[in-house]
Amino acid sequence: MDRSAEFGRWKAQSLSKADLSRKGSVDEDAAEVVELLNSREEFFTTSSCAGRILLLDGSTNGLTVQKQHCCWLLVTHKPCAKHDMMAALKGATSEAVLKFEPFILHVQCRTLQDAQALHSVAVDSGFRNSGITVGKRGKIMLAVRSTHGLEVPLTHKGKPMVTGEYIEFLVTIANQKMEENKRRIGRFYTSLQHAVKQETISNSHSKIKEKSKNRRSPGKARDPSTTEDPGRELSGGDSLGISTTLLLGGD
């Protein structure tokens, strides 16, 4: 099957599936980015989270919280108030942990060049932990992510291990990270819009140039196997300086 056609089939199947996340819909702060990417032929999103503050109570494995075995005492995609956190903490019976998880977005890309261009936009917007994975079946995935998370244990066997004053401090830090996270999403969306516009203008100029060339040489046959700008074909239309993390893995 033609790779472009296969990508189109994957995209149609993915976008037709029901949203199985806890929320059941795309987070408000991520909606514009998701909509813009899905409107493009080169991309489609497979999962996203705009960023959230969590209070989890349950099993731990060393310093890592195992979410599948936890009770979610609180979850919000907006800044959190101290009294909400304190009220939720009263329900802790085990190892309660306060977490802030920043924006994360998984995007399947049509070509490696498309993934590299989007990776550059993500990194320039502050998501410097972003990376590209190429699966065995040729699926090219970009994970847009950053490292400014937060994870702090608050109770042990249901007993508070920190003061209310310290919890208030942690909530303030988490809220600050949430605001910075929102700013980065805004930069990412604006940069993505600019990149899309530049690509559209570039493609338009190429078409105008080709029409002008054909008018000047009406009798000259054009070899369909050649391109007017071979350097552009090799770069996939990406003229940005790009540094990517490329991993090989399963689909």
Side-chain angles (χ1 to χ4, degrees), residues 159-242:
K159 178 183 177 181
M161 303 302 292
V162 297
T163 65
E165 183 180 9
Y166 187 63
I167 292 174
E168 182 176 13
F169 169 74
L170 291 176
V171 169
T172 299
I173 296 298
N175 287 338
Q176 290 173 348
K177 288 180 177 289
M178 179 71 80
E179 291 300 325
E180 171 58 23
N181 180 72
K182 188 173 182 178
R183 285 192 289 270
R184 292 186 188 189
I185 294 175
R187 288 199 298 269
F188 182 48
Y189 179 64
T190 300
S191 298
L192 185 58
Q193 283 182 308
H194 181 71
V196 167
K197 183 178 180 181
Q198 287 297 105
E199 180 183 343
T200 301
I201 293 173
S202 180
N203 289 341
S204 175
H205 285 174
S206 295
K207 292 177 181 178
I208 292 172
K209 187 175 180 181
E210 181 62 27
K211 288 180 180 179
S212 176
K213 178 182 178 181
N214 290 340
R215 283 198 298 269
R216 290 197 303 268
S217 307
K220 184 178 179 181
R222 182 174 180 272
D223 184 352
S225 66
T226 64
T227 63
E228 186 173 332
D229 186 354
R232 180 177 177 81
E233 181 183 51
L234 288 173
S235 67
D238 177 24
S239 61
L240 301 174
I242 296 169

Side-chain angles (χ1 to χ4, degrees), residues 18-66:
D19 191 327
L20 300 179
S21 65
R22 282 176 174 264
K23 187 169 179 285
S25 62
V26 177
D27 298 334
E28 180 182 346
D29 289 338
E32 288 185 323
V33 171
V34 169
E35 182 178 352
L36 179 55
L37 286 169
N38 287 335
S39 72
R40 302 290 301 176
E41 295 181 356
E42 308 96 316
F43 311 109
F44 66 90
T45 62
T46 60
S47 65
S48 66
C49 177
R52 59 192 180 184
I53 296 173
L54 301 166
L55 181 63
L56 304 176
D57 185 38
S59 63
T60 60
N61 177 18
L63 297 177
T64 303
V65 177
Q66 304 299 306

Side-chain angles (χ1 to χ4, degrees), residues 99-156:
K99 298 190 70 179
F100 168 72
E101 296 179 336
F103 174 73
I104 186 167
L105 176 70
H106 291 98
V107 186
Q108 188 165 334
C109 307
R110 183 179 57 184
T111 67
L112 183 57
Q113 289 79 8
D114 294 329
Q116 289 173 324
L118 186 56
H119 178 271
S120 180
V121 172
V123 170
D124 289 344
S125 301
F127 298 103
R128 301 187 182 280
N129 199 37
S130 300
I132 298 170
T133 302
V134 180
K136 294 178 181 178
R137 294 178 57 196
K139 291 184 178 180
I140 302 168
M141 297 295 302
L142 170 67
V144 180
R145 59 200 176 197
S146 60
T147 59
H148 72 297
L150 178 70
E151 183 172 328
V152 183
L154 302 182
T155 69
H156 177 59

